[in-house]
Amino acid sequence: MNPLGVHALVFAGGTTPAEIDLMVAETKKAGFDLLELSLHDSPNLDVDSARASLEAAGLGIVCSRGLAFDADVSSDDPAVVERGAKLLHDSLDITHRLGGRHFTGALYSALGKYGRPLSSAGRANVVTVLKDLSAEAAKLDMTLGLEICNRYETNVINTAAQALDLADDIGADNVVIHLDTYHMNIEEDDFVRPVHLVGDRLGYVHIGENHRGYLGSGHLDFTSFFHALADIGYSGPITFESFSSAVVSPTLSNDLAVWRNLWNDGPALAAHSNAYLKTMIEGTRAGA
């Protein structure tokens, strides 16, 4: 079965040692194999303590992040691009020090609504920075994921086809595509063709409902999506991602427009999502 993960914001909004211990304990209790940790709160993260907690629980770690408008590698401003590149390199280093081998997210832009299309110069800056980052990651035996986000969170890549074009221009074998059902619901025609298009370049998957609440409580066609994953023989991580105003990050909740309560009990949500994902995967294989 695919390694199953859960986003840390299901349990806590920051990355203090106490919050990390809580995330790790609840991730393990819910039956997941890995924890996905956003690095937006990385200045408060005790990397050595977090790694020890993860290793004691036998959990894997994946790190993710987007950038900020004043540290954006898709900018036309060299100083802004430089700050974004530093954030990415620092985040890659943190991921490696935590014991992770995969760093993913909107590594190519800020998380937020842009007021104009991406410029050709901005796109060239993305390619240059991510070429350098992928080379550094390769030395550490790590992969980079290009998470495809919707038009309200980035103007760089919104579809699988755009992500493949960007990955081709970066030209590194350790750059993989990251599909997210929440974003696909907004931008793609369906849940099957993008999976088939990406094929063996798919390296990471986010499962989230159309409203980012309980799986199965929205309108998304997860059955088609999981059948498409089976079609391409996807064996990589599948991570549940959900946000509610019940758990607030000092920065990320605002970036993602998490304004309302979709759930109150993170551990109960996690247990439900783990069972849901396992049922989907097993059901898809049984019907293959």
Side-chain angles (χ1 to χ4, degrees):
M1 185 175 286
N2 304 77
L4 297 182
V6 62
H7 195 284
L9 214 61
V10 168
F11 306 116
T15 57
T16 64
E19 287 172 307
I20 292 290
D21 287 345
L22 172 67
M23 294 169 186
V24 168
E26 294 295 346
T27 297
K28 186 72 173 180
K29 182 179 177 182
F32 288 97
D33 305 300
L34 65 89
L35 175 69
E36 180 183 325
L37 182 67
S38 171
L39 295 180
H40 285 76
D41 193 43
S42 59
N44 294 316
L45 177 64
D46 183 329
V47 175
D48 292 337
S49 173
R51 178 165 183 160
S53 183
L54 288 161
E55 289 180 346
L59 290 176
I61 180 73
V62 170
C63 292
S64 59
R65 74 164 306 130
L67 299 174
F69 285 108
D70 65 349
D72 178 3
V73 299
S74 73
S75 172
D76 295 349
D77 184 333
V80 174
V81 173
E82 184 177 355
R83 287 195 291 271
K86 184 178 188 307
L87 266 183
L88 291 175
H89 285 276
D90 290 348
S91 298
L92 182 72
D93 177 64
I94 290 171
T95 305
H96 177 64
R97 288 166 54 208
L98 285 170
R101 296 184 59 190
H102 189 61
F103 175 43
T104 190
L107 308 182
Y108 45 76
S109 79
L111 275 178
K113 189 174 184 300
Y114 283 77
R116 57 177 176 78
L118 176 68
S119 69
S120 57
R123 191 180 188 283
N125 288 334
V126 170
V127 171
T128 297
V129 170
L130 292 185
K131 277 186 176 181
D132 289 343
L133 189 70
S134 63
E136 182 180 343
K139 294 176 184 176
L140 301 172
D141 194 25
M142 295 176 65
T143 58
L144 302 179
L146 300 178
E147 181 177 6
I148 305 159
C149 296
N150 70 75
R151 71 191 75 182
Y152 307 110
E153 294 181 21
T154 182
N155 63 356
V156 177
I157 53 172
N158 304 132
T159 67
Q162 290 177 317
L164 288 170
D165 286 343
L166 180 59
D168 286 344
D169 289 345
I170 297 167
D173 291 340
N174 63 331
V175 173
V176 298
I177 306 302
H178 173 165
L179 291 177
D180 181 315
T181 57
Y182 170 80
H183 299 295
M184 292 173 71
N185 175 59
I186 299 171
E187 301 293 350
E188 301 284 6
D189 294 335
D190 60 39
F191 275 0
V192 175
R193 282 176 287 183
V195 176
H196 289 172
L197 179 65
V198 172
D200 62 6
R201 298 172 74 176
L202 183 61
Y204 198 73
V205 168
H206 270 163
I207 298 293
E209 263 293 359
N210 61 285
H211 49 36
R212 284 185 154 150
Y214 269 83
L215 295 180
S217 67
H219 66 244
L220 297 193
D221 183 7
F222 289 122
T223 300
S224 292
F225 183 72
F226 276 90
H227 276 287
L229 293 180
D231 289 344
I232 66 168
Y234 178 68
S235 59
I238 297 175
T239 293
F240 171 62
E241 184 181 52
S242 180
F243 305 110
S244 172
S245 57
V247 177
V248 176
S249 161
T251 56
L252 190 58
S253 290
N254 289 343
D255 293 340
L256 297 176
V258 182
W259 311 135
R260 60 193 177 101
N261 257 21
L262 290 165
W263 43 264
N264 290 301
D265 189 334
L269 175 80
H272 172 272
S273 65
N274 184 272
Y276 189 99
L277 293 175
K278 286 177 177 174
T279 298
M280 271 287 173
I281 294 169
E282 291 167 359
T284 300
R285 291 182 175 177

